[in-house]
Amino acid sequence: MQCLFLIVLMMNTTHAQNLKQVAYKDGSQKLNGLVTDNTTKKSPGVLILPAWKGADNEARQAAIDLAKEGYIAFVADIYGEGNNPKDNAEAAKVAGKYKSDYIAYQKRIDLALKELIKAGADPSKIAVIGYCFGGTGALEAARAQLPIMGVVSIHGGLAKDLARKNIPLKTKILIEHPAEDESVKFEDISNLVIEMNDGKTDWQMITYANSKHTFTNPESPDYNKVMADRAWQHTLLFLKEVLK
């Protein structure tokens, strides 16, 4: 009986650890998202925007961990089937395309958001988190004024074309920034602060000491476990607040 109990317990604790592929489209472009398997009841949802190489292990693990917290999580496919970059050079090129064509980026985020809701997420309780290129996307989700309660930009690109006007930003924003991120200039941060304040935004930035760009990714040489763990707890605290 004790053995049977342990087996059942293990099955229950691992149930929400599977990700299911979801096929959707942007016109003729096929997209393949990933959703957690806890979609039987309407729960708060979190859209995950992956880094510049697509749905990597960090994004997948975040989805699994969020499911354990009771959220339905969906990993977006921004590039589309057949377009995932093979190396950093390709990633820089394709990510740069969407950073420049932010309207296309916002559209892909919105399409993924709709799939998250189709999967069973409560449309009144949705947040977006993103890593690196996806962190830029999280800010774009706020700028697009999508129907979301909050966004978390995790070591995201913070620069915005200065030709774009600052607009009201209604969603709450958390920026998790590594102090030694060489890809973010001081003026990028200054301009972002101006944008947040111009937008009358409920925002905050947390800066993590002794941390380089991809400090939250265990597969990166930049990984800083202490700071990564803190950042994750800050993310969970933020999500608990905005999706309560």
Side-chain angles (χ1 to χ4, degrees):
M1 286 295 293
Q2 185 178 11
C3 182
L4 178 60
F5 172 77
L6 289 173
I7 292 172
V8 172
L9 180 62
M10 288 174 64
M11 289 175 64
N12 288 338
T13 55
T14 58
H15 174 67
Q17 296 184 14
N18 296 315
L19 300 177
K20 300 181 292 184
Q21 185 168 298
V22 177
Y24 59 114
K25 286 186 176 183
D26 181 1
S28 61
Q29 175 61 62
K30 294 180 180 179
L31 304 166
N32 296 302
L34 296 168
V35 69
T36 50
D37 62 0
N38 57 340
T39 56
T40 55
K41 62 179 182 178
K42 197 170 287 291
S43 302
V46 181
L47 178 63
I48 300 170
L49 305 178
W52 66 350
K53 285 187 178 178
D56 58 12
N57 289 333
E58 184 172 28
R60 291 168 183 261
Q61 188 61 51
I64 291 168
D65 291 341
L66 287 168
K68 293 176 184 176
E69 299 292 332
Y71 301 107
I72 297 174
F74 187 95
V75 181
D77 180 5
I78 300 301
Y79 302 146
E81 188 174 293
N83 297 321
N84 278 343
K86 299 180 182 64
D87 53 36
N88 288 345
E90 286 188 13
K93 183 177 180 179
V94 68
K97 168 191 169 184
Y98 283 97
K99 286 180 180 179
S100 298
D101 189 356
Y102 65 89
I103 297 296
Y105 198 3
Q106 291 174 349
K107 182 182 180 184
R108 291 282 168 92
I109 296 168
D110 188 35
L111 288 171
L113 179 64
K114 288 179 170 62
E115 292 300 320
L116 172 59
I117 294 170
K118 286 181 185 178
D122 184 341
S124 68
K125 295 182 178 181
I126 302 285
V128 176
I129 73 172
Y131 297 89
C132 188
F133 168 61
T136 303
L139 295 175
E140 288 299 343
R143 292 170 182 140
Q145 298 183 328
L146 298 180
I148 51 181
M149 303 304 294
V151 305
V152 184
S153 174
I154 305 167
H155 53 79
L158 305 182
K160 185 190 75 170
D161 187 345
L162 295 180
R164 295 171 64 184
K165 293 182 179 179
N166 293 339
I167 62 173
L169 298 172
K170 300 176 182 179
T171 188
K172 296 180 180 181
I173 296 175
L174 170 61
I175 300 155
E176 298 180 354
H177 177 64
E180 298 176 13
D181 190 341
E182 295 180 353
S183 67
V184 176
K185 300 176 182 178
F186 180 76
E187 54 263 37
D188 296 337
I189 297 174
S190 298
N191 290 331
L192 183 68
V193 170
I194 293 171
E195 179 186 8
M196 298 293 107
N197 291 337
D198 284 352
K200 309 284 188 208
T201 311
D202 179 344
W203 72 279
Q204 61 183 315
M205 177 184 286
I206 302 175
T207 303
Y208 299 89
N210 308 310
S211 298
K212 296 183 179 180
H213 178 54
T214 50
F215 77 106
T216 62
N217 190 341
E219 298 177 2
S220 168
D222 293 347
Y223 183 55
N224 182 328
K225 186 179 187 309
V226 171
M227 294 300 174
D229 289 346
R230 288 182 188 175
W232 184 247
Q233 291 305 313
H234 292 149
T235 297
L236 293 180
L237 183 64
F238 179 81
L239 293 176
K240 184 177 180 181
E241 176 194 330
V242 302
L243 300 180
K244 61 186 176 183

